[in-house]
Amino acid sequence: MKAILTTVGKDQVGIIAGVSQYLAQNHINILDVSQTIMDDFFTMMMMVEVQADAPEFTQISANLKEVGQKLGVEINVRNAELYQAMHKL
């Protein structure tokens, strides 16, 4: 399953490393990534693929929120099918 992961927060060292480490440990592949600094705020959007042996999606979402709290950023992940359905309406 593909998902969209967004990360936003005050820029600091280690954000990409922290997010990427969680994804790698949980068999979630990064397919595409875009990141920038906007007025001292870090923003990142990733397209990821959740492998069959990854945790349940609700658990991934909860875990990423915890990772975000530790890193001082807000992390959200949503099933890519939601975005595709919105554009079909």
Side-chain angles (χ1 to χ4, degrees), residues 1-4 47-48 57 77-89:
M1 166 191 54
K2 290 184 181 175
I4 306 293
M47 170 72 75
V48 299
F57 193 75
V77 62
R78 292 178 181 86
N79 188 322
E81 290 178 9
L82 283 174
Y83 291 101
Q84 292 169 352
M86 288 177 4
H87 291 288
K88 289 181 181 178
L89 294 177

Side-chain angles (χ1 to χ4, degrees), residues 9-22:
K10 186 142 176 65
D11 188 34
Q12 62 182 340
V13 173
I15 298 171
I16 295 173
V19 174
S20 298
Q21 182 178 15
Y22 172 82

Side-chain angles (χ1 to χ4, degrees), residues 53-89:
D53 57 347
E56 292 291 322
F57 193 75
T58 54
Q59 187 61 52
I60 291 169
S61 180
N63 291 347
L64 282 167
K65 288 199 181 293
E66 288 180 24
V67 170
Q69 288 175 348
K70 291 176 185 174
L71 295 172
V73 297
E74 182 179 327
I75 302 175
N76 290 297
V77 62
R78 292 178 181 86
N79 188 322
E81 290 178 9
L82 283 174
Y83 291 101
Q84 292 169 352
M86 288 177 4
H87 291 288
K88 289 181 181 178
L89 294 177

Side-chain angles (χ1 to χ4, degrees), residues 7-16 34-45 73:
T7 304
V8 178
K10 186 142 176 65
D11 188 34
Q12 62 182 340
V13 173
I15 298 171
I16 295 173
S34 174
Q35 67 90 34
T36 191
I37 308 298
M38 297 174 57
D39 196 26
D40 205 32
F41 282 90
F42 175 86
T43 62
M44 178 171 65
M45 179 178 266
V73 297

